[in-house]
Amino acid sequence: MTTNLGSAGERGSEITGDVTKYLIDGYLPTIGIECHVQLATKTKLFSSVDNDARGAEPNSKVSAIDYALPGMLPVLNREAVRLAARAGRALNAEIARESRFDRKHYFYPDLPKGYQISQMYQPTILSGHVDLPDGTRVRIHHAHLEEDAGKLTHHADHSEVDLNRAGTPLIEIVSEPDIHSAATARAYAEELHALMTYAGVTHGDLYHGNMRFDVNVSVAKVGEPLGTRTEVKNLNSFRSVERAAEHEIARQIAVLEKGEKVVQETRGWDDATGKTTSQRSKEDAQDYRYMPDPDIPPIVLDEAEIAQMQADMPTLPDEYRAKFAALKIDKSVERTILRDQKIATTIAEILDNSSAEIAKRVANLFASSLASDEAEQQLSARLSHDGKSVSDEPRNDARRGRRGKFVGQPTLPSSENLIKLAQIFGANEISSTAEKEIFAEMLKNDRDPRQIAEAKNLLQVSDENAIAEIVGQVLSAPENQKAVADFRAGEEKVIGYLVGQVMKQSKGQANPTLAGELIRDKINQSKENK
Ligand code: MN
């Protein structure tokens, strides 16, 4: 039996390697993260009630078990155990052959039993690690299964309790304090999100609080023991993880620089002000009076069962990274396309069915069209319609009971159409501006890109005779004679102006590369003739 598992940030960490790059005013920040992941099961952890309460009336997805009526007995949902085993695989972690549930006692109106069923002593997922794209390894201390509590909405003179979420299955992934910057904290949160969504463990809908991050931060001078930590709870966007860590690091350094002491406490994050505020002093484990739950038998798994649960794991982010090395794309582009499993899968399909050049072209199209937070949110909203999400910036109200609306269909352009688009561009049939326009259209409504180009009149004229005729007109026009003469005299830059005139005459449809070549040929020819 293992003893007290503790929580992220409170265990000792040996800092190896060069940390000078992380130092801020001589202080080394140390961060551990606890992440609650809502499992994508059909029903709750211990009752047969629908686990998806999005858009449902408050207290409409609640059984006698979730209400904690006397005499009710919880029955463990095996699917939650299966998803935990898959999560463990994605976290490079061993699965316990035997794990157990414990009662964590505390009183809160959204917890009618007076205790939360969790795993304190024998968690299902043992130690593992997550390797970030920059090479940082964040060790996972363990991850345990537990049920979620309900939700409270506070008003001026009363509060409302909604128990729809009570009993929702979670895994809480507890990292070791291996993170030393706010940016790495964000990268870790993003990687966990990718791992958990790719593995199908969670819908990963951040807007609805499917993943919530608790960030433990402390600062200390190098060589000194870890400083006193604070915990910022319930962050539900990557950006707020980074900002809260940044703010907390700066705040703690300021406190220490004034000669004061950091108080161990839980702090809340206000997205609007960009500040953390004190909420309560942190309980120690003994305050929860943990005890084994006598109602639930232990989870006992043998090798064969674990292997079966972990069978057919989908391609995980790191495998895609290895595959996409052939594309030679920027790290930022890679980050964008890995944000969503569907995009990553599509790019991989394109690479398999065409060429690295075409796959790179499409990857860059995704990256440039999703560059703005707003664009990414819109796509994410449509994709999360069926539970998949790339949402980074949900409104920070997932726990406040506001209901999000999803509109439109979850579509991504097919790899066939995307290959066609890149090919049409490659054949100079459309300009790069037109390519972007068609791509944006395909994101809304996937169709054959050539049809879109025709409908929008975006096909370039690549007919040499047609362009040659326009070039002839431009070169003989009286107003262009000075430019023609200048070019003849060796002033190369003038070619741009002349191509521009051809584009103007052709209403933007001439292939500019071809037009440039024809202009050059024609002027050089007339030079030789002279
Ligand atoms: Mn928890």
Side-chain angles (χ1 to χ4, degrees):
M1 195 152 137
T2 48
T3 44
N4 189 345
L5 299 168
S7 51
E10 75 186 7
R11 285 168 299 279
S13 74
E14 310 84 51
I15 297 153
T16 50
D18 184 17
V19 294
T20 47
K21 64 178 172 181
Y22 297 122
L23 294 182
I24 299 175
D25 299 336
Y27 289 91
L28 178 67
T30 296
I31 301 170
I33 293 180
E34 294 161 25
C35 175
H36 286 91
V37 182
Q38 187 175 317
L39 302 180
T41 53
K42 279 204 171 59
T43 57
K44 292 188 179 183
L45 187 53
F46 300 114
S47 79
S48 57
V49 168
D50 190 355
N51 186 36
D52 184 5
R54 285 182 294 178
E57 281 303 307
N59 299 306
S60 65
K61 308 265 185 183
V62 188
S63 76
I65 289 174
D66 311 312
Y67 274 125
L69 295 184
M72 289 298 140
L73 281 174
V75 178
L76 178 62
N77 180 348
R78 289 292 289 187
E79 177 63 7
V81 178
R82 192 185 77 90
L83 292 180
R86 292 173 84 75
R89 177 74 184 274
L91 296 170
N92 301 296
E94 275 291 299
I95 302 304
R97 297 300 179 266
E98 188 172 327
S99 51
R100 292 171 189 275
F101 286 96
D102 303 288
R103 293 179 174 183
K104 180 183 184 180
H105 296 85
Y106 62 97
F107 172 77
Y108 222 62
D110 60 9
L111 187 75
K113 283 198 298 294
Y115 60 84
Q116 177 192 19
I117 302 177
S118 182
Q119 296 180 318
M120 176 62 178
Y121 301 107
Q122 286 177 275
T124 299
I125 303 170
L126 305 174
S127 62
H129 64 263
V130 171
D131 287 329
L132 304 184
D134 75 351
T136 305
R137 172 162 290 190
V138 179
R139 289 166 301 153
I140 303 299
H141 183 270
H142 77 278
H144 56 267
L145 271 162
E146 63 184 23
E147 59 176 352
D148 208 346
K151 190 161 54 188
L152 294 174
T153 311
H154 301 291
H155 302 279
D157 60 348
H158 70 287
S159 296
E160 291 173 326
V161 184
D162 176 8
L163 293 178
N164 278 352
R165 208 179 56 194
T168 285
L170 306 173
I171 53 169
E172 180 175 339
I173 303 169
V174 181
S175 89
E176 298 282 4
D178 290 347
I179 298 165
H180 297 290
S181 76
T184 311
R186 179 188 178 130
Y188 171 72
E190 288 183 349
E191 192 66 9
L192 267 194
H193 182 265
L195 286 169
M196 293 299 114
T197 53
Y198 282 39
V201 169
T202 181
H203 296 313
D205 180 349
L206 297 178
Y207 181 92
H208 283 93
N210 283 182
M211 283 179 79
R212 288 149 7 215
F213 301 92
D214 301 342
V215 178
N216 293 270
V217 180
S218 67
V219 301
K221 288 260 162 80
V222 179
E224 287 180 0
L226 280 181
T228 305
R229 76 200 166 94
T230 60
E231 181 174 28
V232 187
K233 276 187 111 70
N234 283 321
L235 301 165
N236 67 349
S237 77
F238 305 136
R239 194 162 157 264
S240 62
V241 166
E242 183 171 18
R243 289 175 72 208
E246 235 163 40
H247 176 268
E248 204 42 33
I249 291 165
R251 189 191 67 84
Q252 291 184 12
I253 291 174
V255 167
L256 296 176
E257 285 291 297
K258 273 191 286 182
E260 294 168 7
K261 281 188 171 142
V262 173
V263 179
Q264 182 175 335
E265 62 186 352
T266 299
R267 298 180 69 87
W269 169 249
D270 187 332
D271 223 27
T273 61
K275 286 184 176 156
T276 63
T277 48
S278 178
Q279 283 185 328
R280 58 179 160 91
S281 63
K282 175 81 182 165
E283 288 88 351
D284 283 324
Q286 62 262 27
D287 298 333
Y288 292 120
R289 299 162 5 257
Y290 280 99
M291 57 170 274
D293 193 305
D295 290 340
I296 312 161
I299 303 170
V300 180
L301 301 168
D302 63 28
E303 298 290 334
E305 283 170 304
I306 293 170
Q308 199 191 7
M309 286 174 164
Q310 296 181 332
D312 304 319
M313 286 291 287
T315 307
L316 294 175
D318 257 348
E319 299 168 65
Y320 281 118
R321 278 188 199 103
K323 192 176 171 92
F324 294 160
L327 307 191
K328 302 197 168 38
I329 43 177
D330 287 350
K331 284 284 155 213
S332 66
V333 172
E334 186 180 84
R335 221 175 99 184
T336 305
I337 59 172
L338 284 173
R339 206 55 93 59
D340 190 278
Q341 187 181 26
K342 286 180 181 168
I343 299 177
T345 312
T346 303
I347 301 289
E349 258 173 47
I350 292 174
L351 181 58
D352 290 341
N353 295 318
S354 63
S355 65
E357 196 192 344
I358 283 178
K360 179 180 182 172
R361 184 94 209 145
V362 176
N364 284 327
L365 277 174
F366 270 110
S368 64
S369 81
L370 298 179
S372 77
D373 283 348
E374 202 193 340
E376 194 164 320
Q377 255 183 76
Q378 279 172 7
L379 180 68
S380 105
R382 283 189 295 116
L383 293 176
S384 46
H385 191 75
D386 67 346
K388 295 289 184 199
S389 172
V390 292
S391 171
D392 180 14
E393 305 302 328
R395 273 177 278 158
N396 198 20
D397 61 1
R399 284 177 74 89
R400 289 186 213 140
R402 225 172 291 163
R403 282 175 231 141
K405 285 198 194 96
F406 291 124
V407 284
Q409 289 303 309
T411 56
L412 262 196
S414 69
S415 55
E416 291 85 352
N417 281 342
L418 289 167
I419 291 171
K420 265 187 210 163
L421 176 63
Q423 282 169 341
I424 296 174
F425 173 80
N428 270 325
E429 291 185 66
I430 51 172
S431 68
S432 62
T433 315
E435 186 191 29
K436 284 203 180 79
E437 192 179 334
I438 295 166
F439 179 73
E441 189 61 35
M442 287 165 73
L443 281 180
K444 282 186 227 147
N445 177 15
D446 185 27
R447 278 187 296 152
D448 186 315
R450 186 177 293 279
Q451 279 176 15
I452 299 173
E454 278 164 6
K456 289 182 167 276
N457 216 6
L458 293 171
L459 283 177
Q460 288 181 157
V461 176
S462 287
D463 175 347
E464 221 178 299
N465 292 332
I467 298 177
E469 200 182 313
I470 301 173
V471 167
Q473 288 166 15
V474 166
L475 295 187
S476 58
E479 68 270 25
N480 294 333
Q481 291 318 301
K482 183 174 182 312
V484 173
D486 286 349
F487 184 78
R488 254 195 210 117
E491 225 178 291
E492 267 291 320
K493 281 187 295 184
V494 184
I495 192 92
Y497 164 80
L498 291 169
V499 170
Q501 293 306 108
V502 173
M503 295 308 288
K504 212 163 145 187
Q505 284 244 8
S506 72
K507 298 196 171 63
Q509 292 185 331
N511 175 339
T513 314
L514 193 53
E517 280 166 19
L518 290 172
I519 292 169
R520 240 174 252 280
D521 287 355
K522 228 172 197 151
I523 295 180
N524 288 336
Q525 255 172 36
S526 61
K527 218 182 201 171
E528 282 157 25
N529 291 346
K530 278 206 166 163

